[in-house]
Amino acid sequence: MVTKGNIDLYDDKAYKAKLVQTLQAFTRFCEANGLAYMACAGTCIGAVRHHGFIPWDDDIDVFMSRADFERLVSLKNKLPEGYSLVQEGENGYYAPIPKFYDNRTTLWEEKSLPAVIGAYIDIFPLDECDDDADYCKRLKKEYEYCYLHHMDSRRKWLFEDFVDMALHLHPMGFIRLLKNTFYHAPKAAYYKKRLDGIRKKMQEMKGSYVIPWDGLYATPYPKRLFEKTVPCDFEGLTIQIPAMYDEYLTQTYGNYMQLPPVEKRKSTHSHFYLDLDRGMTLDEVRKMIRMK
């Protein structure tokens, strides 16, 4: 199954089935190697509320302690056949969120960020953080600001993209786009330096709280929330979720059992190019696109 250029065209059921297969491979590998993980974010809500995906969601998120994640990285060469682990800076991958993915599939998420992976699981390492929650929140906000600007500086725009944006963007927005594009090199270096400084502060933190620095809704959580897990059904699989999932989800989302308004029940993920039948390089994908 191949999809190009429009998220509304892709086969939602086929993609989710591939994600479930990927999750199964990930959980089996973790269990075989004594690695602890737990579903988080929308995946945790889905497991508790729907015993599977939130109907309009199409990704899988897990927490791992920093120690278990580092052990996972050390086992990269022993991952099950057909699966890979990618981190920021590897093979053109731009995001700080590590991914465990099926390398027999191909996914190019955003057209302007040329990097291909496959059907994936997002892994959010949990790091110790300072007991001063307000300080951690300020640092997290600064980190997100620098990361978003750094990512913008790495976007690659084609001429037709500029034409389209010139027609649809507010003039000031288009000027900002031009500035980001033509001054991307010095901008990337500037924000990379700031990011490195922030990450150093993060790594040096110790305390009774943990935080997924690269996750949405990242906030300091008491360590006790993630000390134990319990099994839960997810699309026919038995996966692990935090034993104190109610407190975790309530702190993060409020009344997580209440469905959001209808207009908000939609995926926020991009699938510029998706092929569930084979893994391809970026050059191979570009060639396929030119042929269509």
Side-chain angles (χ1 to χ4, degrees), residues 41-73:
T43 304
C44 188
I45 292 177
V48 173
R49 195 171 68 194
H50 305 276
H51 300 297
F53 287 101
I54 295 174
W56 52 91
D57 197 12
D58 56 0
D59 80 331
I60 293 175
D61 303 314
V62 301
F63 280 154
M64 296 186 84
S65 70
R66 175 61 65 178
D68 278 306
F69 174 70
E70 293 299 339
R71 284 189 59 213
L72 176 64
V73 172

Side-chain angles (χ1 to χ4, degrees), residues 205-216:
M205 282 190 182
K206 298 294 179 183
S208 56
Y209 288 77
V210 291
I211 186 171
W213 289 111
D214 292 308
L216 290 175

Side-chain angles (χ1 to χ4, degrees), residues 12-181:
D12 179 73
K13 290 184 178 179
Y15 183 62
K16 286 183 177 179
K18 188 63 68 173
L19 289 180
V20 172
Q21 290 178 15
T22 305
L23 177 59
Q24 184 176 47
F26 176 78
T27 58
R28 286 179 173 175
F29 185 79
C30 287
E31 290 166 1
N33 290 277
L35 301 173
Y37 77 92
M38 61 195 77
C40 65
T43 304
C44 188
I45 292 177
V48 173
R49 195 171 68 194
H50 305 276
H51 300 297
F53 287 101
I54 295 174
W56 52 91
D57 197 12
D58 56 0
D59 80 331
I60 293 175
D61 303 314
V62 301
F63 280 154
M64 296 186 84
S65 70
R66 175 61 65 178
D68 278 306
F69 174 70
E70 293 299 339
R71 284 189 59 213
L72 176 64
V73 172
S74 73
L75 295 170
K76 281 182 71 170
N77 294 331
K78 297 181 180 180
L79 293 177
E81 184 177 358
Y83 295 94
S84 300
L85 181 70
V86 66
Q87 299 184 74
E88 182 181 16
E90 298 176 347
N91 302 321
Y93 179 61
Y94 54 86
I97 304 167
K99 298 184 188 298
F100 176 91
Y101 70 95
D102 185 334
N103 59 37
R104 298 159 298 185
T105 63
T106 302
L107 174 59
W108 179 350
E109 292 190 286
E110 293 190 47
K111 182 182 179 182
S112 63
L113 290 167
V116 296
I117 43 176
Y120 65 84
I121 296 170
D122 276 327
I123 303 173
F124 297 93
L126 289 171
D127 291 294
E128 284 190 46
C129 65
D130 195 277
D131 288 354
D132 184 343
D134 289 337
Y135 170 70
C136 292
K137 290 176 181 178
R138 290 195 301 272
L139 192 63
K140 167 64 177 172
K141 188 173 182 180
E142 182 184 2
Y143 176 74
E144 287 182 335
Y145 174 84
C146 291
Y147 170 70
L148 289 173
H149 279 75
H150 182 251
M151 188 172 70
D152 275 348
S153 71
R154 301 179 68 173
R155 293 185 184 275
K156 308 294 183 184
W157 302 104
L158 302 176
F159 177 74
E160 57 262 34
D161 297 323
F162 282 101
V163 173
D164 181 64
M165 292 177 189
L167 295 174
H168 297 97
L169 272 180
H170 184 278
M172 289 305 296
F174 185 63
I175 291 172
R176 180 174 175 271
L177 171 66
L178 290 173
K179 182 179 179 181
N180 287 346
T181 301

